[in-house]
Amino acid sequence: MTNNCPVERGGDSIPHSTSVLAHSFSWQTSLTSLTHKMLQSKKIFTVAVLFIKRTELAMQIHKEIQRDVSELLCQSNTRPHLSVILVGDDPASHSYVKNKTKTAVTLGNSETLMKPTNVTQEELLELIDKMNRDWRVSGLLVQLPLPEHINERAVCNAVAPEKDVDGFHIVNVGKLCLDQKSMIPATPAAVWEIIKRTGIDTFGKNVVVAGRSKNVGLPISMLLHTDGRHERPGGDATVTIAHRFTPIEQLKRHTCLADIIIAAAGVPRLITADMVKEGATVIDVGINRIQDPKTGKTKLVGDVDFEGKKKASFITPVPGGVGPMTVAMLMKNTVYAFKQCNVSGN
C-alpha cells in the first residue's frame, strides 16, 4: 500500500510507502490498555485496526443509565421523562425520533408530540412553553430540521436551558464555549465519549474537524481544543476546522498531518484513504443517503471512504458507529437534567 501523505523530517517532506497489517479485535479486549500499547509502540506504522462500534460502548452507557434510573427511583419514586416534539413528515426525522423514543424505554417515560408541517411558529412556541412548565418533563427536544417558515434559533432558545437535552439553547452553547458544565449536544458528546472511553490521547495532538455546523462541528472543536484543567475539561488538542468548501488539496494537507480526523461535513466519502495518516484515528459523524449504483436502492454512507480503515488505527463505521452513541448520550443528558432539577428543588 502506498501512503501519499508526506512524512516531515528536518523540514523536508518525504513521501513513503508502508505495509499495514489490519486486524479487527474483539470488544472483549480492554480498549484503554490496547490503545496505550498501540500508541506507545515504536512500530506505529504496523497497527491493528480497531472498529469503534456501538456493540460495547453504547451498551455500556445504557447500563449506566439503567443503574442511575434505578437509584433515582428508589430515592424519589420518579423517573426521568423525555418529551420529543416532531413537526412535519420528513422520513429521516421520523426515523431519528423513533430510535430516540425506542431507546428512551431505558428511562421508563417518553413521549412524542406530533405537529403538522403547517403548524405556526406561535403554536409551536406555546407548546414548548407548556412543556417547560410541566414538572413531569425532565428533558425536552424539538427535532430538527423544521419547516422553512419557522425560525429554528427562536425555537431552540424557547426550550428551558435546564431541560434542553439537545444542548442547543444559547445559554448551554455559551457555557460550552466557556468550559463550564452544561448540556452538551448529543453528537459532539458521543464523539468525546468515544475518544475518552477508548483511551485515545488528545493532549497536544493534531486534530482536523471537517465540518463547522453550530450543532456538531463547532461543539466538537470546542471540546477537543479547550483546557483539560477547566470546570468542563477539554482535550488540549490543536484543532483545525475545515468544511465542505475547503479546497480538497488544502484539506488533504491538513488531514495528512492529523492524529485524529473527525468527519462531519455532510459530504459522502469526503475523506479518502490517501488523506489519512498511518495510525490515525478516524471518527465518521456523517450520515448520507445515496443511491447504490448496483441495486438502485438507497443506502447510508459516511463522510469517510471506508477504505481508509486499512491505514487507520481506529475507525467508526457508518451506520453503527457514532449514531447509536449519540442516542445513548441523549439519554444520559435526560438523566442529568432530571438530577439537576431535583437538586434545585424544581
Side-chain angles (χ1 to χ4, degrees), residues 208-211 242-243 248 251-252 254-256 258 260-265 267-277 280-285 288 302-309 315:
V208 170
V209 178
H243 47 79
I248 194 68
L251 175 60
K252 182 177 178 180
H254 290 301
T255 58
C256 280
I260 302 171
I261 300 172
I262 299 172
V267 178
R269 296 167 178 159
L270 173 66
I271 307 297
T272 52
D274 63 326
M275 300 168 71
V276 179
K277 183 174 74 172
T281 294
V282 180
I283 299 179
D284 193 350
V285 183
N288 308 287
D303 286 4
V304 178
D305 186 336
F306 209 58
E307 284 299 305
K309 68 186 178 185
I315 191 166

Side-chain angles (χ1 to χ4, degrees), residues 54 87 111 114 123 190 229 327 336:
R54 64 186 175 186
V87 179
E111 63 179 333
M114 311 279 291
E123 290 171 332
R229 300 168 299 177
V327 176
Y336 174 77

Side-chain angles (χ1 to χ4, degrees), residues 62-279:
H62 288 314
K63 288 179 181 178
E64 292 169 6
I65 292 170
Q66 289 171 337
R67 184 171 62 247
D68 283 349
V69 170
S70 295
E71 292 176 359
L72 291 170
L73 192 58
C74 290
Q75 294 170 5
S76 62
N77 199 33
T78 55
R79 296 174 180 268
H81 181 109
L82 175 65
S83 294
V84 181
I85 299 176
L86 177 58
V87 179
D89 52 9
D90 178 66
S93 291
H94 277 258
S95 176
Y96 295 147
V97 168
K98 182 179 179 181
N99 289 335
K100 291 172 182 177
T101 53
K102 181 180 178 181
T103 308
V105 171
T106 59
L107 302 177
N109 295 311
S110 69
E111 63 179 333
T112 302
L113 305 170
M114 311 279 291
K115 289 296 174 182
T117 303
N118 63 355
V119 65
T120 67
Q121 180 168 313
E122 183 180 1
E123 290 171 332
L124 185 57
L125 293 177
E126 286 177 356
L127 175 59
I128 293 171
D129 181 60
K130 178 182 176 182
M131 305 308 290
N132 284 340
R133 290 183 284 105
D134 189 339
W135 65 268
R136 295 169 300 178
V137 177
S138 313
L140 174 63
L141 70 87
V142 181
Q143 181 64 40
L144 304 181
L146 292 170
E148 291 184 1
H149 67 280
I150 296 177
N151 184 316
E152 286 189 356
R153 177 40 52 195
V155 169
C156 290
N157 286 342
V159 177
E162 64 274 14
K163 295 188 178 187
D164 172 35
V165 290
D166 258 342
F168 294 165
H169 191 285
I170 192 169
V171 168
N172 286 322
V173 174
K175 285 184 176 182
L176 174 66
C177 293
L178 292 173
D179 303 350
Q180 297 178 2
K181 287 183 179 179
S182 65
M183 214 78 76
I184 300 173
T187 299
V191 172
W192 185 228
E193 201 72 13
I194 287 171
I195 289 172
K196 289 192 296 182
R197 290 190 184 231
T198 53
I200 296 168
D201 187 19
T202 60
F203 188 87
K205 301 298 181 180
N206 288 322
V207 178
V208 170
V209 178
R212 60 181 176 182
S213 75
K214 301 300 181 287
N215 299 337
V216 181
L218 179 61
I220 289 173
S221 302
M222 295 301 301
L223 289 169
L224 284 166
H225 96 270
T226 47
D227 198 320
R229 300 168 299 177
H230 287 177
E231 179 183 328
R232 191 270 302 143
D236 286 307
T238 300
V239 179
T240 299
I241 304 176
H243 47 79
R244 66 172 65 209
F245 300 118
T246 300
I248 194 68
E249 287 305 315
Q250 182 179 337
L251 175 60
K252 182 177 178 180
R253 284 197 293 272
H254 290 301
T255 58
C256 280
L257 296 174
D259 303 298
I260 302 171
I261 300 172
I262 299 172
V267 178
R269 296 167 178 159
L270 173 66
I271 307 297
T272 52
D274 63 326
M275 300 168 71
V276 179
K277 183 174 74 172
E278 301 283 358

